[in-house]
């Protein structure tokens, strides 16, 4: 798990491929906030990004997930949320695959939390269980950009 803010990207010490992706002018906070909701996938690229409005909810009602083939870069564009997570590898835990590469953990152990505000991002590598969109107080509207980066993209440039 890596966390940071788009305005201080160099401080996050990201792997070069991720730092270069987030440093693109079209991925600066104001540029992402100005884009319409929907999917972004430049021609010839294996990564994609989804921009969408959603709502937070009490943690007790939110699912916990992990991925095997993709890492998530979740960037908060508007609102506030708490994300609970574990740095332990969840890939050997009992989990249900609800969609391709979306595994839901029934009994997660999530000892860590991070509170996100606009411009903040969090990166979850394959196997890192995370429970996003947890409310800060009352449930509220948020808007996020979620980049899905195939593991092969990191391995090819390592």
């Amino acid at each position: 798990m890596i966390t940071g803010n788009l305005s201080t990207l160099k401080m996050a010490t990201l792997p070069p491929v991720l730092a270069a992706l987030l440093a693109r002018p079209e991925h600066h906070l104001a540029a992402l906030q100005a884009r319409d909701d929907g999917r972004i996938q430049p021609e010839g690229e294996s990564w994609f990004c989804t921009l969408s409005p959603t709502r937070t909810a009490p943690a007790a009602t939110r699912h916990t997930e992990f991925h095997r083939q993709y890492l998530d870069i979740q960037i908060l564009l508007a609102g506030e949320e708490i994300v609970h997570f574990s740095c332990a590898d969840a890939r050997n835990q009992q989990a249900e695959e609800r969609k391709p590469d979306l595994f839901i953990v029934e009994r997660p152990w999530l000892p860590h939390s991070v509170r996100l505000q606009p411009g903040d991002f969090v990166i979850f590598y394959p196997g890192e269980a995370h429970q996003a969109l947890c409310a800060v107080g009352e449930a509220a509207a948020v808007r996020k950009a979620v980049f899905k980066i195939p593991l092969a993209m990191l391995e090819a440039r390592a």
Side-chain angles (χ1 to χ4, degrees), residues 68-85:
R68 294 182 187 276
Q69 300 300 317
Y70 287 84
L71 65 85
D72 279 357
I73 303 174
Q74 299 186 15
I75 304 170
L76 197 65
L77 303 177
E80 275 188 301
E81 75 171 307
I82 294 174
V83 181
H84 301 287
F85 64 95

Side-chain angles (χ1 to χ4, degrees), residues 104-116:
I104 305 301
V105 179
E106 290 298 320
R107 295 190 184 121
W109 178 63
L110 304 169
H112 310 290
S113 299
V114 62
R115 184 174 177 164
L116 301 179

Side-chain angles (χ1 to χ4, degrees), residues 62-133:
R62 296 289 308 142
H63 69 265
T64 297
E65 65 186 58
F66 70 89
H67 313 284
R68 294 182 187 276
Q69 300 300 317
Y70 287 84
L71 65 85
D72 279 357
I73 303 174
Q74 299 186 15
I75 304 170
L76 197 65
L77 303 177
E80 275 188 301
E81 75 171 307
I82 294 174
V83 181
H84 301 287
F85 64 95
S86 174
C87 295
D89 191 345
R91 289 176 285 190
N92 293 324
Q93 291 185 28
Q94 182 80 17
E96 175 189 346
E97 188 173 16
R98 294 216 183 135
K99 295 180 183 176
D101 202 45
L102 176 68
F103 296 87
I104 305 301
V105 179
E106 290 298 320
R107 295 190 184 121
W109 178 63
L110 304 169
H112 310 290
S113 299
V114 62
R115 184 174 177 164
L116 301 179
Q117 297 179 327
D120 291 340
F121 66 85
V122 63
I123 299 174
F124 292 105
Y125 282 79
E128 291 181 328
H130 50 283
Q131 181 188 48
L133 296 172

